[in-house]
Each structure stands twice: as C-alpha cells, then as structure tokens.
Amino acid sequence: MGRKVTLAVATLNQWALDFEGNMSRIMESILEAREMGATYRTGPELEVTGYSCEDHFHESDTYLHAWEILLEIMMSPHCQNMLIDVGMPVQHRNVAYNCRVVFHNKRILLIRPKLVMCDDGNYRETRWFSSWTKERQTEEYYLPRMISAATGQHTVPIGDAVIATRDTCLGYEICEELWNPRSTHIDMSLSGVEIMVNSSGSYMQLRKAYITTDLIRNASYKAGGAYLFSNLRGCDGQRVYFNGCSAIALNGHVVARGKQFALEDVEVTTATVDLEDIRSYRVAMRSRCTVAASTPTYPRVNVDFALSHALDLNIPPSAPLEWVYHSAEEEIALGPACWLWDYLRRSGQGGFFLPLSGGVDSSSTAIIVHSMCRLVVKSVMLGDIQVLHDIRKILADPDFTPDNPAALCNRLLVTCYMGSENSSKETRQRATSLANQIGSYHLEINIDGAVSALLAIFNTVTGMKPLFKTQGGCPRQNLALQNIQARTRMVLSYLFAQLMLWVRNRPGGLLVLGSANVDEALRGYMTKYDCSSADINPIGGISKTDLKRFLLYAKDKFNLPIISDIVTAPPTAELEPLQNGALAQTDEEDMGMTYNELSEFGRLRKQNYCGPYSMFCKLVSMWKDSCTPREISDKVKHFFRCYAINRHKMTVLTPSYHAESYSPDDNRFDHRPFLYRANWSWQFKCIDEELERITCPITAPPSSGDDYGSAKSGHSPSSGRRATSGADKCSSPLFFSETTAGTTAGMSSGGSAHQLNNHVNHHGHESLKLTKSHSSGGYSKMHSSVMGKIKDRTGVPV
C-alpha cells in the first residue's frame, strides 16, 4: 500500500520590482516541476514582487502589479491540474500582509498571511507588514475585480488555515516562523497536517548554512511529516546574497536539496514522498498521539484534487542523503562571486575596475572576480542559455562564447597598480604577477604628479608646505599627506573606470570595486573617500583573517602561486616614505592592534552586544594567557576611541556583500550613532575600577578596627575619598550610603557602582568599601598619542 506524492520546491533568483522577469522565472519553475512529475509546487518568499522592495511595499502600485502577475500565472494552461502557491504582498482591510496565495485550476483556495515578522539582522519586515494575529481563524477577503472577472470568485478565505486534498493535508509557515521558538509546524502536525511548507528569504552568512538545515531536519523529526523549504537565491537589489539551499525533509532526514551557490536563475528540486511513511512514523510516537488527540483543529480549505496517483507502486520514494557543507573559504570564493555576477548583469555595466595594490585585500577582490569568471565558464559549458545570453550582452559581443576563465577575466576585469614614491617594488611585482595569473587587463601608473599638483595648489594659497612625520612634520601634516594620496587614487579609479572600455573600443563603463575588509571598516582604518570608496565591495563583510585563509585555499584551487608571497607580506598602506627602500609603515602598527584582536573586538561589540566595560570583562578571561588585565584595558579603550572617532565613515561605506554578523554597515545592519563622545568617560572609569579590583585585591581588615575608625571620622585609607555632606549627596548623580555607628559615608559624583567592593569586617558583617580610581577616563599621554594613528581625521578630546 502506498500513497506517493512528488513535491517540488523552487529556488529563484528574483529581482525587486522586476515583475515581468519574476513572472517568467516563476512560470519556468512551474513548467520544470510539471516535467519532473510534481503535482505540487511552492516557491520562495515574496517571489512575485521580489523580497527587497522595502518602502515600495508602501506603494499601491506594488500590490496592483502583484495581482496582475498572479492572474497571468493562474490563467496559464501550464498551471492546470497542479496545486501551486506563490508569495506576494496582500492588503486586507487596509493592512499589508506578507502572504502565500494557494490556487488550483484557475481558482484561489487560500491567502495565508505571515504570522511572525523578522526584524533582526538585515530584516525590517514590520516596517512594511503586519503579523496575522488571529490563530486558527480566517476571514473573507474580497478579491480585486480583475480576479473576479477571470475566475468568477468574489471572496476567498484569508488567515491561519490549511489545505485539505483528497489524500493529504498541507500547512504553511513563512520564513521566520520556522526560526521562532513557537513554530506552528508542531501545532499543524498535531492537527493532522502531513506536508508543511516554508517559503523563505534567508540570506547567507559565513559558516551559517547548517542552521537552516538543522531546523528543517529537526522540524520533520520531532513533528513527523514532510517539510518543504523553498528559498531565494542571489542579489535582488540589496547587500545580501540569498542563500538558496531549498530542501525537502521527511521524518528527520533530508531527501532532496538544491545548491547553495549557483548562477542558474531557476532551480527546481523535487522529492517523492510516501504518505504512509509519515502516518506510520507518527502513530508509533505514542506521546505525540496523546497530545494530538486533544489538539485544536485548523480551519481546512477543501480541494477536490489528489496529489498522489492510483498507480504508484513502481514509483520509488526519495532516499535520505548526506548534506555536505561548504567550508568558509569556499563560501568566500563562491558567495561574493555570485553576488558580483548578479550585480554586473543587472547594472548594465561592462565589467569591473580594481585598484590592485598586491596586498591581501585587493588581491582577494581580484580573485573573487576570477572565481566569478570560472563560474560563468562552467555554467555556459553546462548549457545554461541565460548565462551565455547575459555574458554576451555585458561584453556587447553576440558571438562570444567563454571557454577560458583567464580570457574572460581579461575582458571583464581591469586592474591597476597606482604606485607612488612611497610604494615598494615588492608590492608592484606582486600585483603584476597576480594580474598575469588570473588574466586581468593590467595597468601600472604613477600618482606622484597628481599629488604634487594638488599640494602645489595648497602651497600657492597658504605659502606652507606640509611634511611627513619622518621629515619633521606633525601628525596632522603626516595624516593629510597620506590622505591626499589615497583620495587621488579614488579620483583616478573613476576616471579610468569610465574611459577604459572606450580605450578598448567597447561600449559602456566599468564598476569600481572597493577592497576594504570588515575589520578596517569597524576600526575606521581607511581614508574617507579614498579607493575604499567604490561602487560595490565584495569583501566589505569579510575579516582579514578569513581573507588570508581564503587566499591560501585559492592558491591551490585556482593554481595561483603568487598568493604565497601576498599572504606572508606585512599589510601596509604604503602612504609614508620608504626608509632605505624598505617599508617604514605597517597596518597593524598604525592601527595599534592586530587584525586578530580587531576581529575579536568586532565579534564582541556586535554579536555579544558588549560595551567597553563588558568587553573588558570578557577579554580578561579570554586573553589571560597572552595579556595582562592592564594591557587588555588599554587595548579595549584604544579600540573604542578609534571606533567612536571613525564611525562617521560608515555613513558613506561602499555597499558591501554581507557576510559577517559583526558587520559595522550602518545602512540597515548595524544601527548605531555616527557621532560619539569619544572619551567614553563613565565606561572607561568602570574599566579602571574593575582593573584596580583585579590587580589590587583587598585583604581582610586588621582586628584593631582601624577601618571602622576611619569610616567614623569620614576618611577611608583605602579609598582616599572624603565623606560627603548631605548637600553633596543631593548634588551627585548617584550615591551610595553606609551607616556605621551612626555616621554616613557617601560617594562623590565621580564615583561609580563599580567602586564598591564587598568584604567582611572584623565583626563578621558585610560592609561596602570604596576603591580608588587612578584614571578619570580622559585622555592621558597614551590616549592622546592615538590621535596621530587615526586615518582621515585628527581632533582634540571632547
């Protein structure tokens, strides 16, 4: 006995507001699902409009066009005798909902709104949509007149309901509902739903692919049944790359899955499931059956249609498979490359321009473009007509067929080494060698003439000539001379990007690629409006440590031997004069911290939500084997000063591929101020007090009662603070009091709760004692010396 159904999940590379293109891809997925024998097809979240429409979801046009597209799809003869649902926004009673619309044979069955919105990470769904809060309830939805005219329907149920066919029952979750602690698939399964469907818009982050897989697998394991997960893929107009990985799980096992990284616009994944396997699995779970017997039911929308066929004995069910995850290095090689491909083909530009310095960051960017070229060639060789059409359009060559990644890279990527008198021959050689090995069209220019011309203007106006620090100049002069070089490179980058295709007798222009990593953005270690300012940045969400690992992976994977020299070379901006032909400047020395330390600061600041004090407390135990508490205190303070002073740079940060959950991108992901009080006076004072407590532990007081006597007289030998009067207490923003023998000792306004230490007095009673702080949190000599190491802006303490 068997009741086998073939189910299809679609992975689509949609584009926000590209209604015609989105409809075409939806129709293609339906056709592919039908050809693969599926009787049911689902797709990703908001597939009709594209997920990233954002404030366009406030426009009535968006809802109108979504209904027009739905009507076109429903009326297609290719959609008959098949149960289908699509994702689109719907307005009901002047409230906007993120919905699945289920239809069969030109008739809408159910509009199922999303129950739980997502507002973390890059998501801001409650800005545009509301949650459906009426559990297991439906209402009448009055259909648009165009739908009524074509279908004869005037109303349809909208709400929290399920679909009942002749042979099974289907229920819906939408994206965040799977992640929510109170996922509805449990209640649906207890109510008899056998096929649970999730349409999603889940984006990629490094090392996170396993999370979705575990959730899908566990949902079907604990509840029993089939779980269908359909996800978007690609760049639909934002900084994120949607993850793909559509999958089907059955009773705790993944039986079908789609690719995580690919250039195909449409990928359909199917699985054949025996419904009797679901039933026997559930019946054997006796505790589940006990709960299910008393579970409230869902409203059911009945459809006179069976997903299974009467003669299905010869159809084999899908077997469990092993999910193999990409390493982080592979994710860096593939994710940003796919994102770049989507951006390039949809931007109307003819390729990329990259200032190539021969360092880790710019080399990583160049290799990611090379990886993109390899993916394009592979897809064309596998017969992907859409990719071939796109590359011919980009190159304005209708007869071109790519067959070699290096040759394609030569046509798509222009690299340029922008040297100066401060550049070393080693970096020039590394840049040239890498360009030759990946195949880019490479240029070498010298920017000294442009820099000298700009400085001559300044000298003419002011009569003064700035000098580097090694020449006797002050930090402000030294910084200004570095910044003018960096900004000159940015101006030249855009000049060459706009004209290089003209030089090569091709139409169009080039996209300027940035190459600042996520750590440098967090620390602000870049000049505002220098060559980190670009059109897009594929590595802007990736740390320096991950980029080094990626380069070592690419060295063997792509056969690029020059990478060994690039990885081992000390990172340097090469903006200060050489000394005897050798480097006198390195990034880590300039920053005052290592890249490994910077990565840790970034994770604690964003992922662990640490301010200065809690970051110090965590690092004391984490770094106890390599740093003293005082060294950690200095490092944390230095980081937060630099972060505060440079946060303004995030407002003009080049749009970057989102890859790390500690990204400082303030556009949507990291909502924090860009103007801070940079001395963090209260926070740093708390660190100082905690540091003193750690390094100078208080011993038990002598039995003579000296401390008791000191408290009585208003003095404490350990704190060095005077007792305050009642008036002092009233003027203090915070005070604590302790009554000892009828005398009150208070804390001045400079005090803090962290100054209070518990100890046992000679009578055995717990008392509070104040400790002395050596620093007010202001700028000491060590603090102010940092100012010269902050690229782009000098200033005074505030």
Side-chain angles (χ1 to χ4, degrees):
M1 181 179 66
R3 290 292 182 268
K4 297 169 186 172
V5 297
T6 300
L7 311 167
V9 292
T11 305
L12 302 181
N13 193 330
Q14 302 296 72
W15 192 5
L17 298 178
D18 179 23
F19 290 98
E20 188 173 11
N22 293 346
M23 180 181 68
S24 175
R25 288 180 282 271
I26 292 170
M27 286 302 305
E28 184 179 341
S29 71
I30 293 171
L31 285 172
E32 287 191 22
R34 177 181 293 278
E35 291 172 358
M36 298 166 77
T39 53
Y40 172 74
R41 176 269 181 202
T42 188
E45 187 175 13
L46 294 171
E47 57 191 304
V48 171
T49 58
Y51 183 87
S52 300
C53 296
E54 300 187 318
D55 281 0
H56 289 290
F57 286 125
H58 293 317
E59 300 171 2
S60 60
D61 282 10
T62 304
Y63 298 85
L64 169 66
H65 299 325
W67 281 110
E68 291 171 341
I69 295 301
L70 176 66
L71 182 59
E72 292 279 344
I73 295 171
M74 285 176 55
M75 294 297 107
S76 170
H78 301 296
C79 297
Q80 305 312 299
N81 299 315
M82 191 176 188
L83 186 62
I84 299 169
D85 64 80
V86 297
M88 57 181 273
V90 174
Q91 287 185 355
H92 173 59
R93 297 181 181 176
N94 306 122
V95 178
Y97 296 101
N98 176 351
C99 298
R100 299 305 297 176
V101 179
V102 190
F103 63 91
H104 173 257
N105 285 355
K106 302 181 182 180
R107 184 174 182 84
I108 298 176
L109 303 175
L110 172 68
I111 300 174
R112 202 284 195 174
K114 192 171 183 177
L115 308 182
V116 181
M117 297 293 107
C118 186
D119 280 327
D120 57 4
N122 282 289
Y123 298 108
R124 298 291 180 272
E125 290 182 350
T126 55
R127 181 178 174 91
W128 310 296
F129 301 114
S130 297
S131 301
W132 181 268
T133 57
K134 301 168 185 176
E135 293 185 11
R136 297 185 178 91
Q137 296 180 46
T138 63
E139 297 175 351
E140 291 280 289
Y141 179 84
Y142 290 86
L143 292 165
R145 283 176 289 182
M146 72 178 90
I147 303 295
S148 298
T151 66
Q153 290 180 274
H154 296 285
T155 63
V156 65
I158 180 173
D160 188 15
V162 298
I163 300 291
T165 67
R166 292 203 302 260
D167 53 356
T168 189
C169 186
L170 300 91
Y172 293 88
E173 290 187 322
I174 302 177
C175 199
E176 181 68 11
E177 295 171 38
L178 173 61
W179 277 261
N180 189 268
R182 296 184 61 186
S183 295
T184 54
H185 61 257
I186 299 296
D187 291 334
M188 286 192 294
S189 70
L190 293 173
S191 186
V193 173
E194 297 177 331
I195 300 171
M196 293 160 285
V197 183
N198 185 298
S199 61
S200 190
S202 179
Y203 59 78
M204 174 263 181
Q205 285 184 349
L206 293 178
R207 307 175 184 87
K208 295 295 179 67
Y210 74 93
I211 294 178
T212 305
T213 310
D214 288 350
L215 287 170
I216 297 166
R217 185 187 291 119
N218 291 334
S220 66
Y221 174 78
K222 188 173 184 179
Y227 200 97
L228 281 59
F229 177 80
S230 181
N231 195 20
L232 292 163
R233 169 187 289 152
C235 167
D236 75 341
Q238 262 293 344
R239 290 157 168 78
V240 299
Y241 177 81
F242 290 109
N243 211 31
C245 294
S246 297
I248 299 175
L250 176 68
N251 296 341
H253 299 284
V254 175
V255 295
R257 61 157 292 187
K259 294 185 285 290
Q260 183 176 5
F261 303 109
L263 301 188
E264 295 100 315
D265 281 346
V266 177
E267 181 186 17
V268 176
T269 304
T270 62
T272 299
V273 173
D274 192 334
L275 297 176
E276 295 301 326
D277 289 341
I278 298 173
R279 293 158 188 166
S280 59
Y281 182 89
R282 287 181 172 178
V283 169
M285 299 169 64
R286 301 314 303 154
S287 62
R288 176 211 167 271
C289 294
T290 301
V291 178
S294 60
T295 296
T297 61
Y298 279 79
R300 293 198 174 200
V301 178
N302 295 303
V303 54
D304 187 19
F305 177 68
L307 297 183
S308 60
H309 302 287
L311 303 175
D312 60 3
L313 289 178
N314 293 326
I315 302 176
S318 299
L321 54 84
E322 184 68 24
W323 194 298
V324 179
Y325 299 105
H326 293 287
S327 66
E329 293 79 12
E330 290 176 309
E331 289 181 320
I332 295 172
L334 298 173
C338 293
W339 185 77
L340 281 180
W341 170 248
D342 280 346
Y343 199 102
L344 176 61
R345 67 195 180 107
R346 291 171 172 173
S347 68
Q349 299 302 301
F352 302 108
F353 180 89
L354 172 67
L356 182 62
S357 69
V360 166
D361 296 330
S362 62
S363 297
S364 297
T365 302
I367 293 170
I368 286 171
V369 177
H370 179 73
S371 177
M372 184 201 79
C373 294
R374 299 175 75 94
L375 290 173
V376 170
V377 171
K378 180 180 178 180
S379 295
V380 170
M381 294 179 68
L382 291 174
D384 193 319
I385 302 301
Q386 183 63 51
V387 174
L388 179 61
H389 169 76
D390 288 335
I391 194 62
R392 286 175 172 176
K393 182 179 178 181
I394 291 167
L395 297 175
D397 186 348
D399 300 320
F400 176 74
T401 300
D403 57 3
N404 181 280
L408 178 60
C409 190
N410 185 267
R411 302 188 69 165
L412 287 179
L413 176 63
V414 175
T415 53
C416 182
Y417 181 82
M418 299 182 174
S420 73
E421 60 184 2
N422 302 321
S423 303
S424 65
K425 62 180 181 180
E426 289 81 8
T427 55
R428 182 187 300 269
Q429 291 169 352
R430 290 197 297 269
T432 302
S433 298
L434 179 63
N436 291 335
Q437 290 176 19
I438 65 174
S440 67
Y441 186 92
H442 189 61
L443 305 170
E444 291 186 4
I445 64 174
N446 191 293
I447 67 170
D448 288 334
V451 173
S452 298
L454 292 169
L455 292 176
I457 295 174
F458 178 83
N459 179 256
T460 300
V461 174
T462 67
M464 302 181 71
K465 181 180 179 181
L467 299 174
F468 282 104
K469 177 176 59 180
T470 56
Q471 299 166 343
C474 68
R476 284 182 294 175
Q477 298 174 53
N478 192 69
L479 190 59
L481 289 174
Q482 293 185 64
N483 288 335
I484 193 61
Q485 297 173 69
R487 290 182 174 125
T488 298
R489 288 181 172 130
M490 184 271 288
V491 173
L492 289 172
S493 294
Y494 276 96
L495 175 65
F496 277 80
Q498 290 173 339
L499 295 178
M500 279 310 299
L501 292 188
W502 170 65
V503 172
R504 303 181 72 184
N505 197 30
R506 275 177 48 194
L510 301 173
L511 292 165
V512 179
L513 294 180
S515 58
N517 62 62
V518 69
D519 298 323
E520 292 173 343
L522 173 66
R523 162 63 172 74
Y525 186 70
M526 56 187 180
T527 301
K528 200 173 186 179
Y529 305 116
D530 72 342
C531 58
S532 64
S533 299
D535 293 315
I536 50 175
N537 181 2
I539 68 165
I542 306 173
S543 71
K544 178 80 90 174
T545 52
D546 279 336
L547 288 175
K548 287 184 176 180
R549 285 193 285 264
F550 158 66
L551 287 178
L552 293 174
Y553 161 83
K555 171 180 174 290
D556 298 323
K557 183 69 175 180
F558 302 152
N559 189 26
L560 304 172
I562 187 58
I563 288 178
S564 296
D565 295 336
I566 293 172
V567 171
T568 56
T572 175
E574 291 194 327
L575 295 173
E576 294 187 19
L578 302 175
Q579 293 183 359
N580 299 321
L583 290 175
Q585 178 188 32
T586 63
D587 289 350
E588 292 186 336
E589 183 180 355
D590 268 8
M591 292 193 301
M593 61 191 74
T594 67
Y595 279 105
N596 288 336
E597 291 170 345
L598 189 48
S599 290
E600 198 61 58
F601 293 145
R603 296 182 200 283
L604 291 173
R605 182 199 71 102
K606 178 64 178 175
Q607 295 174 344
N608 292 72
Y609 305 103
C610 288
Y613 175 72
S614 54
M615 184 181 291
F616 166 77
C617 292
K618 286 183 180 292
L619 289 177
V620 165
S621 60
M622 293 171 59
W623 289 356
K624 62 182 179 181
D625 295 332
S626 57
C627 295
T628 66
R630 186 166 299 282
E631 289 172 337
I632 294 171
S633 169
D634 291 341
K635 289 175 183 290
V636 169
K637 291 177 182 178
H638 178 56
F639 165 73
F640 271 100
R641 281 194 199 90
C642 297
Y643 163 77
I645 291 169
N646 288 292
R647 178 67 184 178
H648 65 95
K649 297 178 183 178
M650 297 304 95
T651 63
V652 295
L653 192 69
T654 295
S656 303
Y657 173 87
H658 178 84
E660 280 282 12
S661 56
Y662 70 83
S663 167
D665 179 9
D666 84 331
N667 175 261
R668 287 181 64 183
F669 187 75
D670 187 27
H671 287 207
R672 283 170 168 81
F674 62 86
L675 180 63
Y676 284 90
R677 183 176 178 86
N679 66 359
W680 303 86
S681 57
W682 186 270
Q683 295 93 327
F684 287 2
K685 184 163 48 189
C686 293
I687 293 176
D688 290 336
E689 291 154 4
E690 188 68 26
L691 177 63
E692 185 168 348
R693 190 187 67 80
I694 294 172
T695 56
C696 302
I698 299 173
T699 59
S703 58
S704 62
D706 289 342
D707 286 351
Y708 177 80
S710 298
K712 284 187 66 175
S713 63
H715 297 282
S716 170
S718 63
S719 68
R721 296 184 183 270
R722 62 178 178 86
T724 57
S725 66
D728 290 333
K729 290 180 183 179
C730 293
S731 64
S732 300
L734 174 68
F735 66 89
F736 295 80
S737 63
E738 178 188 8
T739 302
T740 307
T743 304
T744 300
M747 181 188 293
S748 70
S749 61
S752 160
H754 301 279
Q755 291 173 283
L756 302 178
N757 292 283
N758 294 331
H759 65 93
V760 180
N761 63 20
H762 64 284
H763 295 296
H765 300 296
E766 191 177 82
S767 62
L768 298 175
K769 191 169 185 179
L770 305 180
T771 63
K772 180 181 178 182
S773 171
H774 291 295
S775 170
S776 65
Y779 281 80
S780 67
K781 181 179 180 181
M782 176 268 173
H783 302 155
S784 59
S785 67
V786 171
M787 303 303 295
K789 298 183 179 180
I790 298 174
K791 280 178 174 281
D792 190 51
R793 179 176 290 181
T794 55
V796 296
V798 292

